Amino acid sequence: MASLFKKFSVAFKGFILAFKDKSIGLQGIISILVILFGMIYKFQMIEWMWILSCIVLVLLTEMINTCIE
């Protein structure tokens, strides 16, 4: 159990470290604004699925790009 906790803590630290990067942090802020916009305009479930999928894909590709750089 302790080993599993250690693995998740290391992964979480890496995730926090990634958001300290300027471009990923900016895209994270824009993602939050898009989510707030969706709450205000009461998006349908299918719209939420597409928006959240796009947000995840953009953030993941930016993290991969940062690792490569």
Side-chain angles (χ1 to χ4, degrees), residues 17-28:
L17 183 63
F19 272 90
K20 290 183 180 180
D21 183 57
K22 190 176 183 180
S23 61
I24 297 174
L26 178 63
Q27 290 173 1

Side-chain angles (χ1 to χ4, degrees), residues 20-50:
K20 290 183 180 180
D21 183 57
K22 190 176 183 180
S23 61
I24 297 174
L26 178 63
Q27 290 173 1
I29 291 170
I30 292 171
S31 298
I32 291 170
L33 292 175
V34 168
I35 291 170
L36 290 174
F37 180 82
M39 289 177 171
I40 292 170
Y41 286 97
K42 298 180 178 154
F43 288 168
Q44 300 295 318
M45 183 61 69
I46 191 74
E47 294 168 329
W48 278 114
M49 288 172 37
W50 281 109

